[in-house]
Amino acid sequence: MIPRERVRNIGISAHIDSGKTTLSERILFYTGRIHAIEEVRGGGRGATMDFMPEEKIHGITITSAATTCHWQDSQINLIDTPGHVDFTIEVERSLRVLDGAIMLLCAVAGVQSQSITVDRQMKRYRVPRLAFINKMDRVGADPFLVLQAMEERLGLNVVLLEYPIGKEHDFQGVIDLVEMNANYYGGENGENWEKQPIPDELLAPAQQAREKMLDTLSLFSEAMTEMLLEGKEVPKQVIWDTIRHGTLSLEIVPVLLGSAFKNKGVQNLLDAIALYLPSPVDRQLVKTAEGVSLNPYPDAPLVAVAFKLTVESFGQLTYTRIYSGTLKSGDTVYNSRTGKRVHIGRLVRMHANKREEVEIAVAGDIIALVGVDCASGDTLCGEEPLVSLEGMFVPEPVITLAIIPQNHEDEEKLSKALHRFQKEDPTFKVSVDPESGLTLISGMGELHLEIYIERMKREYNAVVDVGEPAVAYRETISTRAAFDYTLKKQSGGPGQYAHVTGWIEPSESEFEFVSRVTGGAIPKEYIPACKKGFQEGMASGQLAGYPVTGVKVVLDSGSYHAYDSSELAFRAAAHQAFDKGFTRAKPHLLEPIMLLEVETPNEYMGKIQGDIAARRGLLLGSQTMANYSIIRAEVPLATMFRYSTDLRSLTAGMATSSMEFACYRRCPQ
């Protein structure tokens, strides 16, 4: 077994089309995990980590895939995540269980919209990272502009560890600023990694870049500061240790350069993963919801978290990260959410969609359990103590489609498909329209739902007709309004009596509840029932039946009856009181606003900006490069359906776009 100090659990995250899967393929090749490189859009069998038919058809990563490889004396457990914003939950749940990450950026486009989302996710889970500026061989590549954007737009303290040898089509390799040597990559697939003296013409700029690197690093090392002040040469080990310390404490982000597609710079990145990213032992800050710190060693009590599920013909495959202790096939563990015992049958180590049986897994491992029934986010423990790890952030769906099975036979197949997809993906929601009785599916975007409709047909042979997409509007209030409602019902037996007074007002958060009831006007045991009643009122607004958000409810007083009052009565009274207050509080609709980023040749810029304005869009700014521009705007989702098709026809197929949810904003009348 490899010592835990030499294990690296890492993920690769980036904006769509930055080269994540291409980089993963090179990592697997150079570590000897695969013996031939396949490209994402190569027309062959496709990249190892993109194994779903839909991924091969669309040429994008849809689901996160896990694998294990070895570099020198380190074990790297790698997760390749999607870049498309519609599949952001895959990034979210992967970063939740990883110790470190590689943030990939395009040397031409730099910090893009999804780069900002990925940065936010890494900060949310406090994941130490390396940055890899990819596509250094492309026309317009400028790593120094990318570094500037990382500082200005992401607020990161970046440290460049390499200097480029040539640029664009002349990009030949990188200068390692720690070891001060030039790195070249020969052979058919860049496998001949050669270290040579730095070319004379690059010695001065490389020396300048090294001084800047040491100057930044000296802020985190007193020993280094002393050496620099005394004019001494700083040893390599001191530099490596300082970079590692700064990376683990999230104070710096080391930056490396390369071109995964042209097989340059990947071996240096593998070295950096082993040198600078944390092992499971370094991430001892992992705490449970109960505040218990976990001991990341095999002999500690077992604590593991199920972070991703896929339901297959033989049962459920549960991707699991072991934080503490040891798990063997045949063990019985406890699900801390349900309190039930769970029998562990087979353990497998995943290599994309292939499985390798293992008998034992220990703290720091990422493995999959076969046939274990649990939910995503569940914590599995030994007998004592029963603890639960904090859950992950799940964004709300923004788009809804109605689906109708084409015939009676498809109904049962559709039901099975929807049940499975809901279990696998927390951002995929299914409901029934109470008026029409139609089945509604909700998700993060058009592509998200389109992929699931394709999978219904391919995996379940369930053919459906699809209705027009609907926007997930919200309702809220503009002003404060009081409520005073009495529920009084008398029947043969005990009646129902509840009286509530108070007010509702706009709030920054989704829902706030404050009880100011004094003197026992409403008994304490009925207050939670009142809160539940108000929450039920928020499930459906009075304008168009959309969920209500941004409301603070203050329960001020009320009265009760010794015999006729009950929790049920106060819950119903609160629901009615909320409805009455809501109609008086000047309600209005909120619509989802999307952050749009368009990359286009310069000649189409005017057309695209005009089209965005016609869609009620607000231009946030643009960035012009040598021969293309990036336009950023905020646009209502309601005007953006089938935008990618419209954009292609507007620009002869030469522009690309990405969208992500930004916020809810008041809808025009």
Side-chain angles (χ1 to χ4, degrees):
M1 185 176 74
I2 286 183
R4 299 298 88 190
E5 289 79 6
R6 295 212 297 270
V7 172
R8 301 288 180 269
N9 291 313
I10 63 161
I12 303 178
S13 302
H15 185 86
I16 190 168
D17 223 15
S18 296
K20 292 178 299 302
T21 305
T22 305
L23 178 62
S24 300
E25 192 79 357
R26 269 56 181 185
I27 287 174
L28 295 178
F29 178 74
Y30 296 132
T31 56
R33 197 69 171 81
I34 58 174
H35 303 291
I37 292 174
E38 291 280 352
E39 302 304 344
V40 176
R41 298 180 178 90
R45 62 176 172 80
T48 308
M49 303 296 266
D50 283 356
F51 55 83
M52 284 173 68
E54 287 78 14
E55 292 178 316
K56 296 183 195 299
I57 292 163
H58 292 272
I60 60 168
T61 303
I62 290 168
T63 182
S64 51
T67 189
T68 299
C69 54
H70 294 84
W71 178 249
Q72 292 161 2
D73 61 353
S74 295
Q75 175 181 314
I76 299 172
N77 298 323
L78 174 70
I79 296 183
D80 174 31
T81 63
H84 199 289
V85 66
D86 285 17
F87 310 103
T88 192
I89 188 65
E90 294 288 333
V91 187
E92 199 77 44
R93 59 176 155 204
S94 299
L95 288 175
R96 167 70 186 77
V97 299
L98 292 170
D99 299 321
I102 299 165
M103 184 181 193
L104 205 60
L105 296 142
C106 172
V108 183
V111 174
Q112 297 167 276
S113 60
Q114 192 64 7
S115 315
I116 297 169
T117 304
V118 165
D119 172 66
R120 196 163 56 233
Q121 289 168 322
M122 288 178 181
K123 285 171 179 168
R124 180 184 294 136
Y125 298 113
R126 296 187 58 77
V127 177
R129 71 183 101 167
L130 301 174
F132 185 73
I133 298 177
N134 192 26
K135 303 193 179 185
M136 285 291 296
D137 58 304
R138 272 186 59 187
V139 175
D142 189 337
F144 303 104
L145 269 181
V146 180
L147 289 170
Q148 190 182 334
M150 289 173 74
E151 289 174 338
E152 291 172 3
R153 297 190 66 195
L154 304 179
L156 299 174
N157 187 13
V158 295
V159 180
L160 185 64
L161 305 186
E162 294 173 343
Y163 192 85
I165 302 172
K167 64 174 193 173
E168 300 179 349
H169 58 275
D170 289 328
F171 178 65
Q172 296 166 45
V174 295
I175 294 168
D176 183 333
L177 298 176
V178 179
E179 299 195 6
M180 284 307 275
N181 53 31
N183 292 246
Y184 297 96
Y185 311 89
E188 194 181 335
N189 295 307
E191 62 271 33
N192 300 334
W193 179 24
E194 298 168 12
K195 297 186 178 185
Q196 297 179 11
I198 298 168
D200 292 342
E201 69 275 12
L202 291 176
L203 200 53
Q207 195 63 48
Q208 202 178 348
R210 176 183 164 88
E211 284 167 16
K212 188 178 179 186
M213 174 190 79
L214 293 176
D215 193 42
T216 306
L217 292 174
S218 65
L219 298 171
F220 308 100
S221 167
E222 287 182 17
M224 192 186 290
T225 306
E226 275 180 41
M227 289 176 199
L228 291 172
L229 289 172
E230 291 168 13
K232 292 180 183 173
E233 184 63 31
V234 183
K236 288 185 291 190
Q237 194 60 52
V238 173
I239 301 174
W240 288 330
D241 291 345
T242 307
I243 296 170
R244 181 174 171 78
H245 168 74
T247 306
L248 298 197
S249 60
L250 307 178
E251 290 170 302
I252 63 167
V253 175
V255 181
L256 296 99
L257 312 173
S259 167
F261 185 65
K262 292 290 172 73
N263 310 310
K264 291 178 170 66
V266 180
Q267 293 97 323
N268 301 69
L269 177 65
L270 283 163
D271 270 358
I273 289 167
L275 278 170
Y276 309 131
L277 287 183
S279 71
V281 177
D282 296 313
R283 295 278 283 164
Q284 291 193 17
L285 56 98
V286 177
K287 281 190 165 63
T288 66
E290 296 80 6
V292 178
S293 288
L294 297 183
N295 178 352
Y297 291 101
D299 54 356
L302 174 73
V303 178
V305 68
F307 67 94
K308 174 181 161 72
L309 316 174
T310 56
V311 181
E312 300 181 355
S313 52
F314 56 79
Q316 182 171 300
L317 190 67
T318 308
Y319 288 75
T320 306
R321 160 72 196 262
I322 300 176
Y323 280 96
S324 169
T326 300
L327 185 65
K328 302 188 193 79
S329 56
D331 280 357
T332 298
V333 298
Y334 287 84
N335 183 329
S336 64
R337 179 180 62 86
T338 62
K340 291 180 180 173
R341 292 166 62 142
V342 178
H343 177 72
I344 305 296
R346 290 162 58 210
L347 305 179
V348 292
R349 198 180 292 286
M350 299 302 294
H351 174 52
N353 59 337
K354 297 181 177 67
R355 303 177 180 82
E356 296 163 2
E357 297 272 343
V358 291
E359 288 300 311
I360 186 168
V362 298
D365 281 343
I366 292 177
I367 44 115
L369 314 177
V370 180
V372 169
D373 187 26
C374 65
S376 183
D378 280 359
T379 304
L380 305 174
C381 310
E383 287 191 33
E384 290 294 330
L386 272 189
V387 294
S388 54
L389 283 159
E390 289 171 14
M392 70 192 88
F393 171 76
V394 179
E396 284 297 313
V398 294
I399 181 173
T400 300
L401 291 176
I403 53 171
I404 307 156
Q406 284 193 350
N407 56 53
H408 189 65
E409 289 169 17
D410 288 328
E411 279 185 28
E412 194 177 337
K413 297 175 194 167
L414 178 64
S415 173
K416 281 182 184 171
L418 294 178
H419 176 72
R420 172 189 162 185
F421 297 154
Q422 268 196 111
K423 193 168 186 183
E424 288 183 359
D425 184 351
T427 59
F428 179 76
K429 302 281 172 71
V430 180
S431 58
V432 175
D433 185 332
E435 290 180 16
S436 64
L438 292 175
T439 300
L440 305 176
I441 56 172
S442 303
M444 301 306 297
E446 281 184 280
L447 182 63
H448 188 206
L449 298 183
E450 188 185 310
I451 295 293
Y452 277 118
I453 289 163
E454 284 177 24
R455 286 183 64 189
M456 286 171 203
K457 188 174 180 181
R458 177 177 63 84
E459 295 174 31
Y460 289 88
N461 203 21
V463 184
V464 296
D465 292 321
V466 182
E468 282 297 304
V471 178
Y473 290 100
R474 295 284 184 269
E475 297 184 23
T476 192
I477 57 175
S478 311
T479 185
R480 176 171 159 162
F483 57 79
D484 185 343
Y485 183 80
T486 306
L487 175 75
K488 198 186 282 185
K489 285 185 182 174
Q490 206 61 47
S491 55
Q496 279 190 318
Y497 180 86
H499 173 218
V500 291
T501 67
W503 66 87
I504 61 173
E505 60 188 38
S507 167
E508 289 295 314
S509 53
E510 282 187 31
F511 172 69
E512 275 185 86
F513 174 73
V514 177
S515 172
R516 294 190 178 175
V517 178
T518 54
I522 299 173
K524 278 183 182 174
E525 62 266 26
Y526 296 149
I527 301 292
C530 293
K531 181 180 179 180
K532 197 156 190 179
F534 291 127
Q535 284 174 312
E536 285 171 356
M538 290 187 68
S540 175
Q542 303 297 298
L543 287 176
Y546 293 110
V548 178
T549 188
V551 176
K552 179 180 178 180
V553 180
V554 179
L555 181 62
D556 192 41
S557 187
S559 60
Y560 72 103
H561 188 277
Y563 302 109
D564 291 349
S565 288
S566 64
E567 283 188 16
L568 194 66
F570 272 98
R571 190 165 141 189
H575 189 152
Q576 294 293 328
F578 182 86
D579 288 351
K580 296 207 177 320
F582 185 79
T583 51
R584 290 197 291 269
K586 296 185 179 172
H588 60 263
L589 278 183
L590 297 172
E591 63 177 343
I593 303 295
M594 308 303 283
L595 184 65
L596 172 70
E597 196 166 274
V598 182
E599 195 175 310
T600 174
N602 289 335
E603 61 263 33
Y604 298 111
M605 201 168 163
K607 276 186 181 179
I608 291 169
Q609 288 177 331
D611 182 61
I612 288 170
R615 295 171 188 268
R616 294 195 284 121
L618 173 70
L619 287 165
L620 300 177
S622 61
Q623 190 179 351
T624 305
M625 311 291 179
N627 49 10
Y628 77 100
S629 298
I630 296 171
I631 301 167
R632 295 183 183 88
E634 286 184 343
V635 196
L637 175 63
T639 66
M640 295 303 288
F641 294 121
R642 299 180 184 86
Y643 179 69
S644 53
T645 309
D646 295 344
L647 183 66
R648 276 197 292 271
S649 58
L650 203 64
T651 62
M654 294 177 75
T656 58
S657 69
S658 66
M659 267 195 311
E660 65 171 310
F661 174 72
C663 61
Y664 272 96
R665 204 168 283 157
R666 186 165 186 163
C667 215
Q669 290 298 322

